[in-house]
Amino acid sequence: MDLILNFADQYFFTPYVYPASWPEDEPLRQIIGLLVVTNIGAVILYLGLGSLSYYFVFDHNLMKHPQFLPNQVRREIKYAMSSLPCISIPTVALFFAEVRGYSKLYANVNDFALGWPGLIISMVSFLFFTDMCIYWIHRFLHHRLIYKYFHKPHHVWKIPTPFASHALHPVDGFLQGLPYHVYPFLFPLHKVLYLALYIFVNVWTVSIHDGDYRVPSQLQEVINGSAHHTDHHLFFDYNYGQYFTLCDRLGGSYRHPSALQGKGPNGCITRLLRRTSLATAATVTWTPATKSTSRSSSPVPMRS
């Protein structure tokens, strides 16, 4: 995060905001700067990625589902925007520790013993580490003594849109984001890769709420995509994972997505529309003239 803070200092804070007498590495100034860039960055990522997904990826047919709430999109955005500033406070504390040099983040590839191959190893280990941690944190948040206080607000959205991705209680949002921030304190990670992975995490979080179930068939059993996470919202005790299905399989909480079997939300909508169409057709054909004809006709079916 020091890369972002240094950029903000150079092009905004130092020339336009803070007095020249206030050093850039002064702790209070760093905390204030981190609060500003973290909140602005979070809003840009949330609204930007959410809007792109909502308008270009999200299946708007899902809004016909009976469990899609009135004004749901506006409510999702309102809840997320009220939670993000609260989530940023403990997050900034971790960012501040990174900036002060307490993490294992490094700037030069040559500073890491494994060099360039280490970047690939770091990326893979980051994904598996955070996926495993989020699985257990997510499961913990579903415990009956915890659920109603912190995680239940996110499950209000039975048929989520991309804007539901960050519509979380602040405690829920921070806990599920905690593994991303803990990793660089435990393992070496390049600073640029860390920022790239942080953006990827937000992209992925939005994507598993977008209702787009098109995952290559070869990966459907491995990747925890939108279809898997939709079933988590609908059926509660399944598919806790973030990226992969491995932890769910090991933990006994895996459920093959109903959407991939033709039984998901779209299947429900199709059946409802078919019933509505049949009911409408029956209403149109059942007229007084039809009643009169039916009374005088023979009960024996006519033959051609």
Side-chain angles (χ1 to χ4, degrees), residues 102-141:
Y102 293 102
S103 73
K104 295 187 177 183
L105 290 168
Y106 61 92
N108 193 328
V109 175
N110 295 326
D111 292 339
F112 187 34
L114 297 178
W116 287 99
L119 294 180
I120 304 300
I121 295 173
S122 296
M123 182 172 63
V124 173
S125 65
F126 177 91
L127 293 177
F128 276 98
F129 174 84
T130 55
D131 184 71
M132 177 190 66
C133 291
I134 290 172
Y135 173 82
W136 288 110
I137 291 171
H138 196 173
R139 240 185 129 146
F140 166 74
L141 288 165

Tab-separated table of all heavy atoms in Angstrom, residues 102-141:
chain	number	residue	atom	x	y	z
A	102	TYR	N	6.502	-3.548	8.659
A	102	TYR	CA	6.366	-4.731	9.506
A	102	TYR	C	5.962	-5.989	8.725
A	102	TYR	O	5.925	-7.076	9.286
A	102	TYR	CB	5.342	-4.473	10.620
A	102	TYR	CG	5.807	-3.435	11.613
A	102	TYR	CD1	5.317	-2.134	11.567
A	102	TYR	CD2	6.752	-3.762	12.577
A	102	TYR	CE1	5.749	-1.172	12.475
A	102	TYR	CE2	7.185	-2.806	13.494
A	102	TYR	CZ	6.684	-1.518	13.432
A	102	TYR	OH	7.117	-0.566	14.328
A	103	SER	N	5.621	-5.835	7.456
A	103	SER	CA	5.226	-6.988	6.648
A	103	SER	C	6.429	-7.549	5.892
A	103	SER	O	7.548	-7.030	5.996
A	103	SER	CB	4.141	-6.580	5.653
A	103	SER	OG	4.689	-5.781	4.615
A	104	LYS	N	6.195	-8.593	5.126
A	104	LYS	CA	7.240	-9.212	4.313
A	104	LYS	C	7.113	-8.822	2.841
A	104	LYS	O	7.603	-9.520	1.963
A	104	LYS	CB	7.191	-10.726	4.475
A	104	LYS	CG	7.512	-11.193	5.895
A	104	LYS	CD	7.624	-12.700	5.996
A	104	LYS	CE	8.007	-13.111	7.407
A	104	LYS	NZ	8.190	-14.589	7.529
A	105	LEU	N	6.459	-7.701	2.601
A	105	LEU	CA	6.359	-7.195	1.235
A	105	LEU	C	7.730	-6.691	0.776
A	105	LEU	O	8.478	-6.105	1.561
A	105	LEU	CB	5.344	-6.047	1.173
A	105	LEU	CG	3.871	-6.430	1.364
A	105	LEU	CD1	3.028	-5.193	1.572
A	105	LEU	CD2	3.362	-7.230	0.167
A	106	TYR	N	8.033	-6.911	-0.487
A	106	TYR	CA	9.318	-6.447	-1.029
A	106	TYR	C	9.086	-5.793	-2.385
A	106	TYR	O	8.103	-6.089	-3.078
A	106	TYR	CB	10.309	-7.610	-1.139
A	106	TYR	CG	9.881	-8.739	-2.046
A	106	TYR	CD1	10.237	-8.759	-3.392
A	106	TYR	CD2	9.121	-9.801	-1.549
A	106	TYR	CE1	9.842	-9.793	-4.227
A	106	TYR	CE2	8.730	-10.836	-2.370
A	106	TYR	CZ	9.091	-10.831	-3.711
A	106	TYR	OH	8.698	-11.855	-4.530
A	107	ALA	N	9.996	-4.899	-2.771
A	107	ALA	CA	9.817	-4.117	-3.996
A	107	ALA	C	10.631	-4.628	-5.165
A	107	ALA	O	10.247	-4.440	-6.320
A	107	ALA	CB	10.178	-2.650	-3.728
A	108	ASN	N	11.743	-5.274	-4.901
A	108	ASN	CA	12.651	-5.740	-5.951
A	108	ASN	C	12.614	-7.258	-6.028
A	108	ASN	O	12.796	-7.940	-5.008
A	108	ASN	CB	14.072	-5.258	-5.663
A	108	ASN	CG	14.999	-5.431	-6.849
A	108	ASN	OD1	14.838	-6.366	-7.635
A	108	ASN	ND2	15.969	-4.524	-6.982
A	109	VAL	N	12.385	-7.781	-7.221
A	109	VAL	CA	12.308	-9.236	-7.400
A	109	VAL	C	13.582	-9.907	-6.910
A	109	VAL	O	13.550	-11.007	-6.342
A	109	VAL	CB	12.048	-9.587	-8.882
A	109	VAL	CG1	12.090	-11.098	-9.100
A	109	VAL	CG2	10.695	-9.037	-9.324
A	110	ASN	N	14.701	-9.261	-7.087
A	110	ASN	CA	15.983	-9.844	-6.683
A	110	ASN	C	16.149	-9.919	-5.167
A	110	ASN	O	17.057	-10.601	-4.673
A	110	ASN	CB	17.138	-9.040	-7.284
A	110	ASN	CG	17.160	-9.124	-8.803
A	110	ASN	OD1	16.816	-10.148	-9.384
A	110	ASN	ND2	17.555	-8.034	-9.459
A	111	ASP	N	15.262	-9.226	-4.437
A	111	ASP	CA	15.329	-9.291	-2.977
A	111	ASP	C	14.769	-10.597	-2.432
A	111	ASP	O	14.949	-10.916	-1.254
A	111	ASP	CB	14.560	-8.118	-2.352
A	111	ASP	CG	15.230	-6.778	-2.627
A	111	ASP	OD1	16.445	-6.789	-2.923
A	111	ASP	OD2	14.538	-5.746	-2.568
A	112	PHE	N	14.056	-11.337	-3.286
A	112	PHE	CA	13.453	-12.606	-2.879
A	112	PHE	C	14.324	-13.742	-3.405
A	112	PHE	O	14.689	-13.762	-4.581
A	112	PHE	CB	12.031	-12.700	-3.436
A	112	PHE	CG	11.256	-13.886	-2.946
A	112	PHE	CD1	11.432	-14.379	-1.661
A	112	PHE	CD2	10.334	-14.514	-3.761
A	112	PHE	CE1	10.713	-15.470	-1.203
A	112	PHE	CE2	9.604	-15.603	-3.317
A	112	PHE	CZ	9.787	-16.075	-2.035
A	113	ALA	N	14.637	-14.688	-2.553
A	113	ALA	CA	15.575	-15.751	-2.913
A	113	ALA	C	15.124	-16.543	-4.135
A	113	ALA	O	15.952	-17.000	-4.927
A	113	ALA	CB	15.769	-16.690	-1.723
A	114	LEU	N	13.822	-16.691	-4.318
A	114	LEU	CA	13.304	-17.493	-5.433
A	114	LEU	C	13.186	-16.695	-6.727
A	114	LEU	O	12.840	-17.256	-7.766
A	114	LEU	CB	11.945	-18.087	-5.056
A	114	LEU	CG	11.952	-19.064	-3.875
A	114	LEU	CD1	10.545	-19.544	-3.569
A	114	LEU	CD2	12.861	-20.258	-4.156
A	115	GLY	N	13.421	-15.386	-6.670
A	115	GLY	CA	13.391	-14.569	-7.880
A	115	GLY	C	12.043	-14.575	-8.579
A	115	GLY	O	10.990	-14.597	-7.940
A	116	TRP	N	12.098	-14.584	-9.924
A	116	TRP	CA	10.864	-14.530	-10.712
A	116	TRP	C	9.960	-15.743	-10.498
A	116	TRP	O	8.731	-15.580	-10.421
A	116	TRP	CB	11.195	-14.374	-12.195
A	116	TRP	CG	11.691	-13.000	-12.530
A	116	TRP	CD1	12.984	-12.604	-12.690
A	116	TRP	CD2	10.882	-11.825	-12.705
A	116	TRP	NE1	13.055	-11.254	-12.951
A	116	TRP	CE2	11.779	-10.742	-12.973
A	116	TRP	CE3	9.520	-11.571	-12.663
A	116	TRP	CZ2	11.338	-9.450	-13.193
A	116	TRP	CZ3	9.066	-10.272	-12.872
A	116	TRP	CH2	9.967	-9.231	-13.141
A	117	PRO	N	10.488	-16.973	-10.409
A	117	PRO	CA	9.590	-18.103	-10.110
A	117	PRO	C	8.829	-17.913	-8.800
A	117	PRO	O	7.728	-18.431	-8.626
A	117	PRO	CB	10.552	-19.302	-10.027
A	117	PRO	CG	11.713	-18.904	-10.877
A	117	PRO	CD	11.868	-17.428	-10.659
A	118	GLY	N	9.441	-17.144	-7.892
A	118	GLY	CA	8.784	-16.887	-6.619
A	118	GLY	C	7.481	-16.120	-6.763
A	118	GLY	O	6.576	-16.254	-5.924
A	119	LEU	N	7.373	-15.313	-7.817
A	119	LEU	CA	6.126	-14.576	-8.046
A	119	LEU	C	4.972	-15.538	-8.322
A	119	LEU	O	3.858	-15.357	-7.815
A	119	LEU	CB	6.293	-13.614	-9.228
A	119	LEU	CG	7.274	-12.453	-9.033
A	119	LEU	CD1	7.316	-11.592	-10.292
A	119	LEU	CD2	6.890	-11.610	-7.821
A	120	ILE	N	5.237	-16.567	-9.139
A	120	ILE	CA	4.205	-17.561	-9.445
A	120	ILE	C	3.851	-18.349	-8.191
A	120	ILE	O	2.668	-18.572	-7.897
A	120	ILE	CB	4.680	-18.514	-10.557
A	120	ILE	CG1	5.096	-17.732	-11.806
A	120	ILE	CG2	3.582	-19.530	-10.883
A	120	ILE	CD1	3.996	-16.901	-12.407
A	121	ILE	N	4.881	-18.750	-7.451
A	121	ILE	CA	4.635	-19.492	-6.218
A	121	ILE	C	3.824	-18.646	-5.236
A	121	ILE	O	2.885	-19.141	-4.592
A	121	ILE	CB	5.968	-19.922	-5.583
A	121	ILE	CG1	6.692	-20.914	-6.504
A	121	ILE	CG2	5.748	-20.538	-4.208
A	121	ILE	CD1	8.096	-21.255	-6.048
A	122	SER	N	4.165	-17.368	-5.129
A	122	SER	CA	3.439	-16.466	-4.225
A	122	SER	C	1.984	-16.328	-4.634
A	122	SER	O	1.081	-16.337	-3.781
A	122	SER	CB	4.106	-15.086	-4.208
A	122	SER	OG	5.401	-15.141	-3.686
A	123	MET	N	1.744	-16.200	-5.930
A	123	MET	CA	0.380	-16.023	-6.413
A	123	MET	C	-0.476	-17.250	-6.102
A	123	MET	O	-1.601	-17.139	-5.602
A	123	MET	CB	0.384	-15.760	-7.921
A	123	MET	CG	-0.984	-15.507	-8.512
A	123	MET	SD	-0.880	-14.988	-10.246
A	123	MET	CE	-0.147	-16.462	-10.983
A	124	VAL	N	0.068	-18.437	-6.378
A	124	VAL	CA	-0.676	-19.676	-6.131
A	124	VAL	C	-0.912	-19.866	-4.635
A	124	VAL	O	-2.020	-20.192	-4.198
A	124	VAL	CB	0.080	-20.885	-6.721
A	124	VAL	CG1	-0.607	-22.189	-6.328
A	124	VAL	CG2	0.162	-20.773	-8.238
A	125	SER	N	0.129	-19.659	-3.841
A	125	SER	CA	-0.019	-19.850	-2.395
A	125	SER	C	-0.978	-18.830	-1.793
A	125	SER	O	-1.730	-19.142	-0.864
A	125	SER	CB	1.345	-19.773	-1.701
A	125	SER	OG	1.910	-18.483	-1.831
A	126	PHE	N	-0.975	-17.599	-2.318
A	126	PHE	CA	-1.906	-16.566	-1.855
A	126	PHE	C	-3.342	-17.022	-2.078
A	126	PHE	O	-4.190	-16.910	-1.186
A	126	PHE	CB	-1.642	-15.258	-2.592
A	126	PHE	CG	-2.590	-14.141	-2.251
A	126	PHE	CD1	-2.291	-13.257	-1.226
A	126	PHE	CD2	-3.775	-13.965	-2.955
A	126	PHE	CE1	-3.171	-12.213	-0.903
A	126	PHE	CE2	-4.648	-12.935	-2.645
A	126	PHE	CZ	-4.354	-12.058	-1.612
A	127	LEU	N	-3.630	-17.548	-3.262
A	127	LEU	CA	-4.995	-17.974	-3.582
A	127	LEU	C	-5.441	-19.125	-2.694
A	127	LEU	O	-6.558	-19.125	-2.160
A	127	LEU	CB	-5.088	-18.368	-5.054
A	127	LEU	CG	-4.898	-17.225	-6.067
A	127	LEU	CD1	-4.948	-17.758	-7.490
A	127	LEU	CD2	-5.953	-16.143	-5.868
A	128	PHE	N	-4.567	-20.122	-2.502
A	128	PHE	CA	-4.958	-21.273	-1.687
A	128	PHE	C	-5.028	-20.912	-0.211
A	128	PHE	O	-5.927	-21.371	0.506
A	128	PHE	CB	-3.989	-22.432	-1.919
A	128	PHE	CG	-4.324	-23.251	-3.131
A	128	PHE	CD1	-3.660	-23.035	-4.328
A	128	PHE	CD2	-5.318	-24.218	-3.092
A	128	PHE	CE1	-3.979	-23.772	-5.461
A	128	PHE	CE2	-5.646	-24.967	-4.210
A	128	PHE	CZ	-4.971	-24.746	-5.404
A	129	PHE	N	-4.104	-20.076	0.257
A	129	PHE	CA	-4.121	-19.658	1.663
A	129	PHE	C	-5.392	-18.870	1.974
A	129	PHE	O	-6.088	-19.150	2.964
A	129	PHE	CB	-2.885	-18.813	1.961
A	129	PHE	CG	-2.880	-18.205	3.339
A	129	PHE	CD1	-2.432	-18.936	4.429
A	129	PHE	CD2	-3.307	-16.900	3.539
A	129	PHE	CE1	-2.428	-18.370	5.709
A	129	PHE	CE2	-3.304	-16.341	4.811
A	129	PHE	CZ	-2.858	-17.078	5.896
A	130	THR	N	-5.697	-17.880	1.155
A	130	THR	CA	-6.873	-17.048	1.424
A	130	THR	C	-8.165	-17.833	1.238
A	130	THR	O	-9.128	-17.638	1.979
A	130	THR	CB	-6.881	-15.797	0.528
A	130	THR	OG1	-6.784	-16.181	-0.856
A	130	THR	CG2	-5.710	-14.888	0.866
A	131	ASP	N	-8.192	-18.742	0.255
A	131	ASP	CA	-9.390	-19.558	0.050
A	131	ASP	C	-9.662	-20.425	1.282
A	131	ASP	O	-10.811	-20.514	1.746
A	131	ASP	CB	-9.218	-20.440	-1.185
A	131	ASP	CG	-10.465	-21.247	-1.502
A	131	ASP	OD1	-11.459	-20.630	-1.945
A	131	ASP	OD2	-10.462	-22.473	-1.313
A	132	MET	N	-8.622	-21.054	1.812
A	132	MET	CA	-8.781	-21.905	2.990
A	132	MET	C	-9.234	-21.083	4.196
A	132	MET	O	-10.154	-21.470	4.929
A	132	MET	CB	-7.465	-22.606	3.315
A	132	MET	CG	-7.511	-23.462	4.570
A	132	MET	SD	-5.877	-24.051	5.089
A	132	MET	CE	-5.093	-22.482	5.551
A	133	CYS	N	-8.595	-19.935	4.416
A	133	CYS	CA	-8.950	-19.095	5.562
A	133	CYS	C	-10.374	-18.574	5.455
A	133	CYS	O	-11.134	-18.591	6.441
A	133	CYS	CB	-7.974	-17.927	5.682
A	133	CYS	SG	-6.299	-18.395	6.158
A	134	ILE	N	-10.750	-18.110	4.273
A	134	ILE	CA	-12.099	-17.573	4.095
A	134	ILE	C	-13.142	-18.661	4.275
A	134	ILE	O	-14.231	-18.409	4.818
A	134	ILE	CB	-12.232	-16.895	2.715
A	134	ILE	CG1	-11.409	-15.613	2.695
A	134	ILE	CG2	-13.691	-16.585	2.381
A	134	ILE	CD1	-11.315	-14.963	1.344
A	135	TYR	N	-12.818	-19.875	3.840
A	135	TYR	CA	-13.765	-20.990	4.030
A	135	TYR	C	-14.122	-21.130	5.504
A	135	TYR	O	-15.302	-21.185	5.867
A	135	TYR	CB	-13.159	-22.296	3.508
A	135	TYR	CG	-14.013	-23.505	3.819
A	135	TYR	CD1	-15.096	-23.832	3.005
A	135	TYR	CD2	-13.764	-24.289	4.946
A	135	TYR	CE1	-15.909	-24.929	3.302
A	135	TYR	CE2	-14.563	-25.376	5.250
A	135	TYR	CZ	-15.623	-25.700	4.422
A	135	TYR	OH	-16.430	-26.771	4.723
A	136	TRP	N	-13.115	-21.178	6.379
A	136	TRP	CA	-13.385	-21.394	7.796
A	136	TRP	C	-13.973	-20.158	8.461
A	136	TRP	O	-14.829	-20.267	9.350
A	136	TRP	CB	-12.112	-21.845	8.509
A	136	TRP	CG	-11.747	-23.250	8.140
A	136	TRP	CD1	-10.700	-23.671	7.383
A	136	TRP	CD2	-12.491	-24.427	8.486
A	136	TRP	NE1	-10.736	-25.040	7.232
A	136	TRP	CE2	-11.815	-25.530	7.897
A	136	TRP	CE3	-13.650	-24.669	9.221
A	136	TRP	CZ2	-12.262	-26.843	8.030
A	136	TRP	CZ3	-14.105	-25.975	9.356
A	136	TRP	CH2	-13.418	-27.046	8.771
A	137	ILE	N	-13.536	-18.979	8.045
A	137	ILE	CA	-14.148	-17.756	8.575
A	137	ILE	C	-15.619	-17.695	8.185
A	137	ILE	O	-16.495	-17.378	9.010
A	137	ILE	CB	-13.397	-16.507	8.061
A	137	ILE	CG1	-12.002	-16.435	8.681
A	137	ILE	CG2	-14.185	-15.231	8.357
A	137	ILE	CD1	-11.117	-15.368	8.082
A	138	HIS	N	-15.902	-17.999	6.912
A	138	HIS	CA	-17.269	-17.982	6.393
A	138	HIS	C	-18.136	-18.991	7.148
A	138	HIS	O	-19.270	-18.706	7.519
A	138	HIS	CB	-17.234	-18.296	4.901
A	138	HIS	CG	-18.496	-17.935	4.182
A	138	HIS	ND1	-18.614	-18.012	2.819
A	138	HIS	CD2	-19.707	-17.500	4.627
A	138	HIS	CE1	-19.821	-17.654	2.462
A	138	HIS	NE2	-20.507	-17.338	3.538
A	139	ARG	N	-17.584	-20.178	7.369
A	139	ARG	CA	-18.324	-21.200	8.105
A	139	ARG	C	-18.577	-20.766	9.540
A	139	ARG	O	-19.666	-20.996	10.092
A	139	ARG	CB	-17.534	-22.502	8.099
A	139	ARG	CG	-18.353	-23.594	7.427
A	139	ARG	CD	-17.708	-24.946	7.476
A	139	ARG	NE	-18.639	-25.892	7.984
A	139	ARG	CZ	-18.695	-27.149	7.599
A	139	ARG	NH1	-17.858	-27.621	6.703
A	139	ARG	NH2	-19.578	-27.970	8.098
A	140	PHE	N	-17.575	-20.137	10.147
A	140	PHE	CA	-17.730	-19.622	11.504
A	140	PHE	C	-18.854	-18.595	11.562
A	140	PHE	O	-19.652	-18.570	12.510
A	140	PHE	CB	-16.403	-19.003	11.952
A	140	PHE	CG	-16.509	-18.156	13.194
A	140	PHE	CD1	-16.670	-18.744	14.436
A	140	PHE	CD2	-16.443	-16.768	13.111
A	140	PHE	CE1	-16.769	-17.956	15.587
A	140	PHE	CE2	-16.539	-15.988	14.248
A	140	PHE	CZ	-16.707	-16.582	15.498
A	141	LEU	N	-18.948	-17.744	10.557
A	141	LEU	CA	-19.992	-16.714	10.517
A	141	LEU	C	-21.385	-17.309	10.359
A	141	LEU	O	-22.380	-16.621	10.590
A	141	LEU	CB	-19.712	-15.733	9.377
A	141	LEU	CG	-18.526	-14.786	9.613
A	141	LEU	CD1	-18.110	-14.117	8.307
A	141	LEU	CD2	-18.879	-13.732	10.655
